Amino acid sequence: MTDTTSQHEISAEMQAIEAEARARVAEGNAPELHPRRDYPPYRSSILRHPTHELVRADPEEIERHSPAFGHSDVSPLESDLTIQHNAEPLGERMTVSGRVLDGEGRPVRHQLVEVWQANAGGRYVHKRDQHPAPLDPNFTGVGRVITGDNGEYSFTTIKPGPYPWRNHLNAWRPAHIHFSLFGTAFTQRLITQMYFPGDPLFALDPIYQSITDPAARARLIGVYDHDLSVPEFSLGYRWDIVLTGPKSTWMESEEAHD
Amino acid sequence: MTESPAARYVQTPAQTVGPFYGFALPYDGGAELVPGHHPHAIRLHGTVFDGAGEPVPDAILEIWQADETGALRNERGSLARDGFGFTGFGRAAVDFGGHYTFTTVEPGPVAGGAPYVLVTVFARGLIHHLFTRAYFPGNAELNATDAVLAAVPADRRHTLVCVQEGTGPTGAASYRFDIRLQGENETVFLDFDA
Ligand SMILES: [Fe+3]
């Protein structure tokens, strides 16, 4: 089913929600750190968000622990998405590196990071991806790594392309890499997406804009880091991930990057 | 304004798992915390529904639980199943009918509390995952002492308790835990102030 709402109408809906969120912050409320589950411009959220308030619960022992992963679970080769086939994939080769931290800035050690992404043409290896961009026989787009002693991770891959989706007429997702992370407590479980600096699609994308606070949105954007670029080989992006943080602490001076 | 150390570590926002996790997140044996022939194997299954009562065909669930003695395991191997070790972690994508199935064991009480399986729901259209708990109907006494069940309005409490369906052909007990993201009998979802 294709929604024929125009981008203009979707953008107006998003701007109205952001204006309302900005007014709430101006009244002294903390900015929202996470996306809204109820975000009508993202049409699929309308029937898929709970209407009751979540019930606040103290985490018990189960929630305070997390499954253990180790090098028996993940091969070191899985962090390089460019060597999984017989030849090199097409696209702009890059590395994405960073650290996984908890809310106090402590490294999240020896935990699982999973990524998946579209190829350089914006096509996923997924039977329900109907985008008529070509598949790349040399690119699957799945990677895994176990974080190191300082919470560090690194993937070698190619830059994914933006792709169309059917949220509304002429809807395009900004280029992104899906990330799945575990912490030391299951309450830290996170699935999110990393974006690339300067993407012109940010302002148009309801999934990205479902985070109403500009500073919070900016936390999903990797930073181009020339020191991570490898001469004659790849460009480098740095993206640190914080799994839990002080829910009420925020910075007035933090600037929006989009 | 001076930047406090805490403010530098503000949590990274969540985003939806999207529709295309299917080639990345599911893995061999992910839904089998124990093999089906395990002497204490149970089937934990159900359907994920949206606010219109329609099955959600693109959700993926994770469970995390203690073993049948109430012990939390800290064994590696949550992805690389060897068929013997129990790690307590499972992951299952729903089918086109929104239905998921785990093969696991009924957890025992952890520190004397009511046993439950922690359930995490990810889906296309669900922008930020949801946590809930699946309690078991056979533990009425312990369930009556549980802080979360007590905090939930009585008319919603049943959404946190599996329905026992008797035993299947292999003799394994079967429990149904449907998840309703919205609407009538909406599942109780939990926010852990962690
Ligand atoms: Fe995507």
Side-chain angles (χ1 to χ4, degrees):
Chain A
M1 189 170 46
T2 303
D3 190 305
T4 55
T5 311
S6 70
Q7 178 70 56
H8 186 76
E9 289 167 86
I10 291 287
S11 293
E13 289 179 34
M14 295 193 293
Q15 285 156 18
I17 293 169
E18 185 165 342
E20 173 261 324
R22 202 183 308 119
R24 280 177 47 82
V25 173
E27 288 163 14
N29 295 291
E32 296 161 50
L33 295 178
H34 278 283
R36 294 190 179 182
R37 292 187 180 89
D38 178 10
Y39 192 72
Y42 178 22
R43 296 299 194 233
S44 304
S45 79
I46 294 172
L47 287 171
R48 294 185 175 191
H49 71 271
T51 55
H52 289 272
E53 285 275 317
L54 304 194
V55 171
R56 293 285 292 272
D58 288 327
E60 291 181 39
E61 206 175 321
I62 292 173
E63 285 92 14
R64 293 198 303 266
H65 287 79
S66 203
F69 302 97
H71 296 294
S72 59
D73 290 294
V74 175
S75 150
L77 301 178
E78 291 184 71
S79 65
D80 189 339
L81 286 71
T82 68
I83 58 167
Q84 295 171 355
H85 298 275
N86 291 330
E88 295 265 334
L90 295 171
E92 188 180 317
R93 196 191 291 111
M94 62 174 195
T95 55
V96 178
S97 303
R99 295 175 71 206
V100 185
L101 304 169
D102 71 11
E104 277 74 52
R106 296 175 298 206
V108 175
R109 299 188 169 99
H110 309 153
Q111 267 300 2
L112 177 67
V113 181
E114 296 163 279
V115 294
W116 68 102
Q117 64 169 89
N119 69 20
R123 177 83 185 262
Y124 283 95
V125 180
H126 190 289
K127 55 185 177 298
R128 285 159 74 185
D129 183 357
Q130 298 301 309
H131 178 29
L135 286 167
D136 181 345
N138 293 312
F139 191 72
T140 302
V142 177
R144 294 191 187 109
V145 76
I146 302 288
T147 57
D149 289 341
N150 295 309
E152 72 275 19
Y153 74 87
S154 188
F155 290 101
T156 301
T157 182
I158 51 95
K159 188 171 178 187
Y163 59 84
W165 59 312
R166 292 177 178 169
N167 185 70
H168 56 276
L169 206 56
N170 207 12
W172 290 79
R173 296 295 332 278
H176 59 274
I177 300 179
H178 295 267
F179 270 72
S180 162
L181 303 119
F182 290 81
T184 54
F186 214 97
T187 51
Q188 294 173 297
R189 185 82 179 86
L190 181 70
I191 286 184
T192 187
Q193 301 177 22
M194 182 202 121
Y195 299 89
F196 294 88
D199 197 313
L201 295 169
F202 284 152
L204 308 178
D205 178 39
I207 293 180
Y208 182 66
Q209 297 292 332
S210 66
I211 306 160
T212 62
D213 176 43
R217 289 200 290 270
R219 288 182 200 115
L220 294 182
I221 305 173
V223 176
Y224 174 70
D225 184 343
H226 200 62
D227 289 337
L228 277 178
S229 295
V230 179
E232 317 300 323
F233 189 74
S234 61
L235 294 179
Y237 290 86
R238 175 167 299 284
W239 191 49
D240 293 335
I241 301 150
V242 180
L243 292 187
T244 53
K247 284 190 177 173
S248 55
T249 308
W250 51 282
M251 291 293 298
E252 271 180 69
S253 63
E254 214 159 355
E255 282 179 16
H257 298 288
D258 60 299
Chain B
M1 189 171 169
T2 316
E3 197 170 322
S4 76
R8 296 209 308 272
Y9 302 110
V10 180
Q11 56 194 280
T12 303
Q15 293 273 265
T16 177
V17 73
F20 301 133
Y21 55 79
F23 72 105
L25 293 179
Y27 60 95
D28 284 349
E32 289 159 19
L33 288 76
V34 296
H37 57 75
H38 185 284
H40 298 129
I42 63 165
R43 176 185 191 222
L44 177 64
H45 75 117
T47 301
V48 182
F49 295 99
D50 71 11
E54 295 295 323
V56 173
D58 36 23
I60 181 163
L61 307 191
E62 289 179 351
I63 62 172
W64 172 234
Q65 62 165 97
D67 70 11
E68 62 267 50
T69 71
L72 279 173
R73 302 292 189 88
N74 194 29
E75 289 172 33
R76 292 175 178 179
S78 290
L79 286 183
R81 304 274 192 216
D82 63 7
F84 295 93
F86 178 83
T87 68
F89 176 71
R91 179 184 280 169
V94 299
D95 62 20
F96 287 114
H99 186 255
Y100 72 91
T101 302
F102 289 102
T103 307
T104 184
V105 295
E106 185 171 333
V110 179
Y116 61 86
V117 171
L118 177 68
V119 179
T120 311
V121 186
F122 304 94
R124 181 181 70 82
L126 177 62
I127 310 180
H128 187 180
H129 64 260
L130 290 165
F131 291 119
T132 186
R133 289 177 178 177
Y135 290 84
F136 290 84
N139 306 317
E141 266 178 49
L142 284 173
N143 287 351
T145 68
D146 185 81
V148 164
L149 290 175
V152 170
D155 63 333
R156 301 190 65 208
R157 205 169 287 151
H158 68 97
T159 71
L160 295 176
V161 184
C162 307
V163 176
Q164 182 157 14
E165 298 178 312
T167 52
T170 60
S174 180
Y175 293 92
R176 171 173 279 273
F177 187 71
D178 290 333
I179 293 166
R180 291 181 169 78
L181 294 175
Q182 188 187 86
E184 201 180 345
N185 292 316
E186 181 177 303
T187 298
V188 170
F189 297 105
L190 304 174
D191 179 20
F192 297 103
D193 194 31

